[in-house]
């Protein structure tokens, strides 16, 4: 069997869902399990509604929900035709009534917790999976809707819940496997799950890719296909460099680094379950299904180019911790990291000198409290609006002089931190956020103009 995941733009309206159906139809012999995102922008809108309700603004929340209702009805109506839609309508109606009731409840209390946020956010995938399953069935695909909350079991860290694999794999085997064996096409929402007690959770923004990988690993899929709106993983973000080129073949390690450092096309956690089971992952374009896309797998042939791709991760804060009097005394680093751990703030890049440590974190609201704790240990400064730029390629391991070439290109750019990742396949540095487009464009021109045709399209 295979897993096919369709992202938000690939199910954004009736036409997109019809394209997805045609793609799935072409693969029925391979026994697909389909994972879908919420329709494009829906998760953003649900979160806006939830926050409006949390601020006591019931009117705005309900109005936004009405817009969402119209869009889903229109899509379902177009796909199903009036006959089927009439019976399906009441099912969607019940979901929207429940959503509105939830929003009214949040507005009445005037407080939005991570747990209620998950209840609201989950509607995107609950609704899209219903519509996609109904549309697939009406097109003769024999779809079976599976509620992901009955399969993907997570801890209770709401909004960034972590899957419990043993439990999840067992549920996938009992609830999804038999449908596949019976020749059905299971359709599940990505991004959502539930705790063992059945409380709805979500696994982090962009998490439907991860859901696909969890399902693929749990059911020993022959491959996982991530269907999106670009031809595959590209040499850089096409919004910054419209001439970015498709990478035909990339290793799990390289793809993981790229995803982690900002290549939004793939959620960073996606490759982990695939690595563990050595399941190849493909990134494909649902608007251009004839294009081969990108294949991600354990071993890839040698590439003539230094790098496979450049990514940038914005909204980064640098935290400088300086211990002027005691130098970096024994135990100092440990106490610093304990503070990060206590505030549940993850560190990306670290550099140390004899008397100070600089660390980067995603900008977030925990930073002031973290800085206050760190200030008990040493002098602390922090500064936001930074970005991490990451160049990735297996060749970094063995080719000397690459860093000199990179920084030679950027001799007039203010570079704050440099790290050649412990993985040996990334070269990472921190710059001002505003410098990102210029820096990426220059590096892309310098390193991706003449490409190895075996690896790049
Ligand atoms: P989906 O909704 O299908 O999950 P996403 O919006 O999450 O799609 O990811 C696809 C988008 O990622 C592309 O439209 C592109 O703008 C962006 N992107 C950023 N970096 C890259 C890259 N290196 N290769 C391909 N796409 C990238
Ligand atoms: N719908 C979710 C989001 O927008 C998950 C996803 O699309 O991957 O974050
Ligand atoms: Mg995505």
């Amino acid at each position: 069997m295979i897993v096919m995941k369709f992202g938000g733009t690939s199910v954004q309206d009736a036409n997109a869902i019809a394209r997805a159906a045609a793609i799935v139809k072409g693969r029925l012999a391979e026994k697909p399990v389909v994972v879908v995102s919420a329709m494009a922008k829906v998760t953003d809108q649900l979160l806006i509604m939830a926050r409006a309700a949390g601020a006591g603004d019931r009117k705005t929340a309900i109005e936004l929900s009405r817009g969402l209702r119209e869009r889903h009805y229109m899509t379902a109506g177009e796909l199903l035709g009036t006959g089927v839609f009439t019976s399906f309508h009441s099912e969607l109606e019940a979901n929207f009534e429940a959503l509105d009731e939830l929003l009214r409840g949040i507005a009445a209390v005037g407080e939005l917790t991570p747990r209620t946020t998950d209840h609201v956010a989950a509607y995107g995938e609950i609704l899209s999976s219903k519509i996609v399953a109904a549309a697939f069935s009406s097109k003769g695909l024999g779809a079976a809707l599976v509620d992901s909350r009955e399969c993907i079991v997570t801890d209770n860290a709401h909004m960034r819940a972590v899957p419990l694999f043993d439990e999840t794999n067992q549920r996938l085997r009992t609830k999804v496997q038999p449908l596949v064996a019976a020749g059905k096409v299971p359709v599940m929402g990505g991004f959502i799950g539930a705790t063992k007690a059945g409380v709805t959770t979500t696994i982090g923004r962009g998490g439907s890719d991860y859901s696909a990988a969890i399902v693929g690993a749990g059911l020993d899929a022959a491959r996982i296909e991530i269907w999106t709106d670009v031809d595959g993983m590209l040499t850089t973000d096409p919004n910054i460099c419209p001439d970015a080129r498709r990478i035909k073949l990339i290793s799990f390690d390289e793809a993981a680094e790229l995803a982690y450092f900002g290549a939004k096309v793939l959620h960073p956690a996606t490759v982990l379950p695939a690595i563990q089971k050595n399941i190849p992952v493909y990134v494909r374009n649902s608007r251009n299904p004839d294009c081969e896309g990108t294949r991600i797998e354990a071993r890839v042939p040698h590439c003539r180019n230094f790098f496979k791709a450049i990514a940038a991760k914005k909204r980064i804060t640098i935290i400088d911790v300086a211990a002027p009097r005691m130098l970096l005394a024994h135990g100092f680093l440990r106490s610093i990291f304990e503070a990060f751990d206590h505030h549940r703030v993850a560190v990306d890049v670290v550099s140390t000198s004899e008397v100070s440590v600089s660390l980067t974190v995603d900008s977030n609201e925990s930073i002031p409290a973290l800085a206050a704790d760190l200030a008990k240990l040493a002098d602390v400064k922090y500064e936001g609006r930074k970005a991490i730029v990451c160049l990735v390629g297996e060749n970094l391991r063995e080719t000397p002089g690459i860093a000199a070439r990179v920084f030679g290109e950027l001799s007039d750019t203010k570079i704050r931190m440099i790290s050649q990742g412990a993985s040996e396949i990334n070269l990472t540095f921190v710059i001002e956020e505003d410098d990102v487009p210029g820096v990426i464009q220059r590096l892309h021109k310098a390193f991706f103009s003449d490409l190895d045709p075996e690896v790049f399209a």
Side-chain angles (χ1 to χ4, degrees):
M1 65 59 76
I2 61 171
V3 173
M4 305 177 72
K5 176 259 174 177
F6 292 90
T9 44
S10 302
V11 293
Q12 67 181 356
D13 53 26
N15 285 335
I17 294 173
R19 277 196 299 270
I23 294 169
V24 173
K25 204 167 208 167
R27 284 167 165 67
L28 285 182
E30 296 181 274
K31 299 186 176 294
V33 172
V34 173
V35 174
V36 293
S37 288
M39 293 166 73
K41 305 261 170 9
V42 167
T43 308
D44 289 336
Q45 287 161 358
L46 286 164
L47 292 174
I48 293 171
M49 278 172 223
R51 282 193 288 266
D57 185 354
R58 190 182 67 171
K59 192 160 160 276
T60 302
I62 299 292
E63 241 165 54
L64 286 168
S65 158
R66 190 174 309 132
L68 218 57
R69 194 187 289 230
E70 302 287 309
R71 178 171 167 204
H72 284 84
Y73 286 173
M74 203 169 75
T75 306
E78 257 181 79
L79 284 162
L80 302 177
T82 23
V84 184
F85 181 56
T86 315
S87 56
F88 185 60
H89 180 267
S90 59
E91 207 176 306
L92 291 187
E93 184 83 5
N95 282 133
F96 280 108
E97 288 304 318
L99 171 61
D100 284 358
E101 195 163 310
L102 183 57
L103 291 170
R104 284 191 206 100
I106 295 170
V109 182
E111 187 196 14
L112 181 67
T113 62
R115 181 172 156 142
T116 33
T117 304
D118 274 352
H119 271 92
V120 176
Y123 275 98
E125 273 74 7
I126 293 172
L127 291 158
S128 67
S129 58
K130 275 192 180 163
I131 293 177
V132 168
F136 280 13
S137 287
S138 81
K139 291 176 190 300
L141 280 171
L145 178 68
V146 174
D147 189 334
S148 295
R149 293 167 297 178
E150 292 172 9
C151 296
I152 309 295
V153 186
T154 72
D155 67 7
N156 65 358
H158 286 283
M159 299 174 76
R160 50 176 178 193
V162 178
L164 305 175
F165 284 97
D166 289 343
E167 190 81 14
T168 299
N169 292 343
Q170 200 185 328
R171 302 250 191 125
L172 287 167
R173 281 195 294 270
T174 54
K175 289 183 190 285
V176 182
Q177 192 116 291
L179 295 170
V180 178
K184 296 274 186 196
V185 177
V187 175
M188 326 177 40
F191 181 55
I192 60 177
T195 63
K196 274 189 195 161
V199 180
T200 301
T201 54
T202 64
I203 59 173
R205 294 305 308 274
S208 292
D209 299 336
Y210 189 24
S211 303
I214 295 167
V215 174
L219 296 176
D220 285 311
R223 66 172 186 279
I224 297 162
E225 297 180 346
I226 305 290
W227 290 87
T228 183
D229 62 351
V230 284
D231 276 347
M233 291 195 91
L234 308 176
T235 48
T236 194
D237 184 344
N239 298 304
I240 298 179
C241 286
D243 59 346
R245 300 264 295 272
R246 173 166 63 95
I247 306 165
K248 293 199 279 192
L249 205 57
I250 191 167
S251 70
F252 283 137
D253 294 345
E254 290 169 326
E257 297 282 345
L258 278 174
Y260 187 74
F261 287 111
K264 181 189 168 209
V265 65
L266 204 65
H267 185 282
T270 306
V271 270
L272 299 177
I275 291 177
Q276 277 152 11
K277 292 255 172 127
N278 200 12
I279 302 172
V281 178
Y282 292 74
V283 180
R284 310 272 312 246
N285 188 349
S286 66
R287 290 181 186 150
N288 185 18
D290 293 333
C291 175
E292 284 172 9
T294 298
R295 188 163 96 231
I296 307 169
E297 55 178 46
R299 290 183 177 282
V300 292
H302 181 78
C303 172
R304 274 209 280 111
N305 293 86
F306 285 155
F307 302 115
K308 292 280 171 55
I310 319 174
K313 188 172 170 188
K314 292 193 186 177
R315 298 194 70 245
I316 294 294
T317 294
I318 294 186
I319 303 180
D320 292 312
V321 186
R325 284 172 309 281
M326 49 179 164
L327 300 178
L328 286 191
H330 170 75
F332 180 67
L333 282 177
R334 191 187 66 199
S335 32
I336 290 179
F337 280 106
E338 273 169 1
F340 280 83
D341 193 40
H342 176 70
H343 291 273
R344 301 189 69 177
V345 171
V347 174
D348 282 332
V349 184
V350 183
S351 73
T352 63
S353 78
E354 209 164 342
V355 291
S356 69
V357 189
S358 299
L359 313 99
T360 70
V361 302
D362 289 356
S363 302
N364 69 75
E365 60 282 359
S366 313
I367 291 173
L370 166 66
D373 271 359
L374 290 169
K376 294 173 195 154
L377 305 168
D379 296 333
V380 180
K381 278 193 315 237
Y382 63 92
E383 204 181 325
R385 295 190 55 78
K386 303 287 174 278
I388 297 175
V389 174
C390 176
L391 288 135
V392 171
E394 305 260 7
N395 282 348
L396 265 171
R397 274 206 187 98
E398 51 237 24
T399 325
I402 298 187
R405 290 273 314 269
V406 170
F407 295 115
E409 292 292 332
L410 304 176
S411 50
D412 55 355
T413 305
K414 187 172 165 203
I415 294 171
R416 288 290 302 265
M417 288 166 71
I418 298 177
S419 139
Q420 173 136 14
S423 70
E424 294 188 309
I425 63 164
N426 77 50
L427 177 62
T428 302
F429 53 92
V430 180
I431 58 174
E432 300 296 323
E433 198 170 77
D434 293 341
D435 290 340
V436 166
V439 163
I440 298 264
Q441 281 154 8
R442 267 154 72 187
L443 292 176
H444 195 262
K445 188 149 179 274
F447 293 100
F448 295 88
S449 291
D450 179 23
L451 293 178
D452 184 342
E454 293 290 312
V455 176
F456 302 93

